[in-house]
Amino acid sequence: MMASTRLRLFPVLLIVLLGLFSLKWLTIDDNALDLLPGEAVQGDFRLLQRLGVVDRVFLTLTVKDEDLSGAQRLAVLQKSATQVGAALSDSGAFSEVIFRLPHGYEFGAYRAIQPHVPAILDGADLVSLAHLTSEAGMAERLSADFSMLNSLAGIAVKKQIQQDPLGITTLALGKLHHLKAEYAMVVLDGFFISEDRRSCLLMAESRTSLTDASSAQQVEKVVQSALSLLAGEVEGRVIGSLPHTLANARSIQHDLKVLLPIASFLLLVLLLVTLRDWRAFLVLAIPFLAAPFAIGLVNLVFGRISALALGFGIVLLGIAVDFSVHIYLALRRQEDPTALVLAGLRQPLLLATLTTSGVFTVLFFSHVASHRQMALLALVGVVLAVCLSWLIIPLIRPCHQSSTFPGWILHPHARKGWLILFVWLLLLVAGAMSWPRLHYNGDMRVLDVSDSAVMADEAHFHRTWGAPGDQAFVVASDPSLALALDRNSAVYDFLQSHGVQRVQSLAPLLPGPIVQQSHIEAWQQFWAQRPDFQSRFAMSAERQGFNARGFQPFYDWLQQPVSPFNADNLLDGPLAELSRTLIRSPITGGDGLDSNFLVVSNVTMEKGFYDSLLQFAALHDGVHLLTNQKWRQQVEQLLRQDIMTLSLAAGVIIVLIVGFALRRVRLVLGALAPVGSALAAMALYSMVSNGELNMMHLLMGIMVIGLSVDYGIFIVCRGTETAAMQAITICACSSLIGFGVLAFATHPALQALGITVLVGIGAAWPTALLVTPVLAGKTA
């Protein structure tokens, strides 16, 4: 006997020790990519990360004191922005911090652009230039120059007027507004100030991914440390992916810390009340013994484990305890030898393990990374729970006890069978009718925590800097920067031809080489049509009181060869920080898009324009469209594919397993009845609540199929004997506890998982007790 006990306990001890040892290398990851389905959607998200959009932090500094004058507010804002911006730059946490343009940026931009104006001016600019070179235009402009020269600013602008008396360069400088077109702001002394002069904008790009919770927490410390430098009359607000990542991570961490102990406590109470035996502690211990090994294996296979998958572990408690309950009650209710009782349990336990494992295996083919982690966690956890239950529970030697369950639950009478079947069929019909009314929602925001503070900060940002509307990012890419810029110019021309006004783009200021060449040719043709310009200009200048010979630098500039305006003029000049937000260099050693130059245009979508823009991107090589609408469509398509394909696969697996094992149609229908009830109830609930399906519903459906079929299997295999009926009831209650506590989760994904499956199991349990015996002919 002692040798037999040791033989059973040795593998148990080995599994537990290996599991605990594996946790030494546990890496918990809260990366948003785990919730994104499919390589295409994840690829778009990585492209946004490459562009810096995802890892960018926006800080709004706002003066709260209403008694300050406009000049005082501006001085406070500039001082605060300088302190916060310097702190962020010095921290080393950010690759780029934009809080002020360099001192003298206006003259620096003028010097950088002026030699290349002919390559920048487009057809509309030449129309303006035609007016400037007319008699009226020259007189008007030269008169303004003369007044400027005789003012206090005259000394500073003398050389500029000599080089460009008509302000031709100003036409090119006007295109700078396209670098900030998405924001309602003014630039004062290099600072980005709101139109009401009460707020200042700072932007910073993190060196690490802000979709990862651990990285986000480190960046948050840096940001909060910088904001602590603000004076009392200034408040700082932060928006971007940073607060969303932190809100989701903290929500999941809170749920794990609070709900896991609650679920464990409630399960223990359930087992103590129903089993009325201290050995309930050992029954509950089975999932905890299996969990470390399962978690460690997931961490080993995937290199990490998501916090969402760990949250799913709460549910696993309620699932894994089922097998130990069945074995425990069978041993306690029977007076037969242990070996004989275990032999009678072998078929239903094997079938239940195969069906549960089979449906979770299907999840390995899900497009969602977190689903695959949950699948492996559940699969390993369930299999280990069965093995550990089989090894440990017989050693407990439960004492015989009579049932405390009402007789009508344990032994449904055949005379009520037709009424039971009628009610069940009504449920199935209602569920089938609900399904066509459900629609797929691919918006990832439905799984995002609705943090009131984050929403308030975003609302303040949009009030201050302008509502963004539906944003789209159009990315032009190529290993050659010249070709990438040409493609970006084609994007800008397309947007202009469709009347899109709110565009943030480099194209007007830095056209591609092909466009620049066409501009240069148009420039040369413009002046070729005006051979008498110099003499006319000299006469107009003298009439305004100038010495025409003083404009020789202007004449020389018009005669000099035109050189293209290249990217280095921007990326190494005073506008470098703003320009780098719209152009990205290749990553050393990268492949695919990582080996390309990326030039992005930020577009505020006009109503009905999405299809045209999508078609344009599809027809042009190296042009990629990133929009929330596109992601929703992709997610909805993948979700629909997953729900239909994987649910069908799970259904086929359990039908084949149950059909092969039970053979008779009546028994198969009885075993599958709880599955139909659960799916019908979930469809009804989803329709009544909001009529939407999201990616979590795939996990819910698969899970419910695996759980509910087990209830039917035990009834069909063991009939309505007391131990089987009580075990199913306790197992259902344990699952309801596991899912029930998730209904109180603060994270939307876990909450949706809990509530909807709670409904499914709530329908599967009475179906197994009442409907399955009738269909299988197991009634009293």
Side-chain angles (χ1 to χ4, degrees), residues 44 47-49 134 204 258 302 329 331 350 375 435 480 484 508 529 551 557 633 636 642 649 705 731 752:
D44 285 353
L47 183 55
L48 283 176
Q49 286 184 309
S134 68
V258 174
F302 292 95
L329 286 178
L331 291 172
L350 179 61
W435 181 256
S480 164
Q529 295 171 351
F551 291 105
W557 177 61
Q633 290 182 353
E636 288 169 5
D642 272 359
I705 290 173
C731 291

Side-chain angles (χ1 to χ4, degrees), residues 442-488:
D443 194 340
M444 297 296 297
R445 288 172 293 189
V446 300
L447 301 179
D448 196 19
V449 173
S450 299
D451 187 277
S452 58
V454 174
M455 296 174 67
D457 288 345
E458 291 182 343
H460 178 269
F461 183 91
H462 298 320
R463 286 195 305 269
T464 304
W465 307 109
D470 192 5
Q471 298 291 294
F473 299 94
V474 189
V475 183
S477 67
D478 195 82
S480 164
L481 177 58
L483 188 51
L485 290 172
D486 277 329
R487 288 171 172 169
N488 188 55

Side-chain angles (χ1 to χ4, degrees), residues 179-229:
L179 297 181
K180 60 178 184 65
E182 62 176 322
Y183 302 114
M185 66 167 64
V186 293
V187 180
L188 298 177
D189 195 22
F191 293 92
F192 307 106
I193 306 298
S194 62
E195 292 179 341
D196 63 3
R197 306 300 196 269
R198 294 182 178 276
S199 300
C200 184
L201 178 65
L202 295 82
M203 293 170 281
E205 185 177 331
S206 171
R207 295 185 185 275
T208 56
S209 174
L210 294 185
T211 62
D212 178 75
S214 59
S215 298
Q217 288 169 357
Q218 296 301 316
V219 172
E220 183 198 28
K221 293 178 181 177
V222 174
V223 172
Q224 293 303 319
S225 176
L227 291 178
S228 67
L229 301 174

Side-chain angles (χ1 to χ4, degrees), residues 421-589:
L421 288 179
F422 178 73
V423 174
W424 178 63
L425 289 174
L426 285 180
L427 174 63
L428 295 184
V429 171
M433 294 176 64
S434 301
W435 181 256
R437 301 184 182 183
L438 302 178
H439 65 275
Y440 303 94
N441 185 355
D443 194 340
M444 297 296 297
R445 288 172 293 189
V446 300
L447 301 179
D448 196 19
V449 173
S450 299
D451 187 277
S452 58
V454 174
M455 296 174 67
D457 288 345
E458 291 182 343
H460 178 269
F461 183 91
H462 298 320
R463 286 195 305 269
T464 304
W465 307 109
D470 192 5
Q471 298 291 294
F473 299 94
V474 189
V475 183
S477 67
D478 195 82
S480 164
L481 177 58
L483 188 51
L485 290 172
D486 277 329
R487 288 171 172 169
N488 188 55
S489 293
V491 170
Y492 182 76
D493 291 341
F494 173 78
L495 297 173
Q496 292 298 295
S497 67
H498 284 73
V500 179
Q501 299 298 319
R502 297 181 62 182
V503 181
Q504 184 185 24
S505 175
L506 280 175
L509 190 61
L510 183 62
I514 293 177
V515 176
Q516 289 197 40
Q517 185 58 40
S518 68
H519 288 173
I520 292 172
E521 292 173 357
W523 169 272
Q524 293 170 339
Q525 184 179 5
F526 178 89
W527 292 111
Q529 295 171 351
R530 292 164 175 79
D532 60 342
F533 169 74
Q534 187 171 331
S535 61
R536 290 190 300 106
F537 177 81
M539 293 174 59
S540 182
E542 290 176 352
R543 282 197 295 268
Q544 298 298 327
F546 288 102
N547 184 344
R549 286 175 296 181
F551 291 105
Q552 189 60 42
F554 177 50
Y555 304 147
D556 294 342
W557 177 61
L558 292 178
Q559 298 300 323
Q560 70 183 18
V562 179
S563 60
F565 188 50
N566 58 56
D568 293 339
N569 295 109
L570 280 179
L571 299 180
D572 295 331
L575 302 176
E577 293 176 329
L578 284 179
S579 302
R580 281 195 291 265
T581 63
L582 299 175
I583 188 169
R584 296 284 161 154
S585 299
I587 298 176
T588 303

Side-chain angles (χ1 to χ4, degrees), residues 77 80 82 85 90 101 120 149 178 190 231 292 296 340 360 434 476 491 493 620 655 668 712 771:
L77 284 174
S80 299
T82 301
D90 295 342
L101 296 178
I120 299 174
L149 281 173
H178 287 283
L340 189 60
F360 281 124
S434 301
V491 170
D493 291 341
H620 290 75
V655 168
V668 172
V771 178

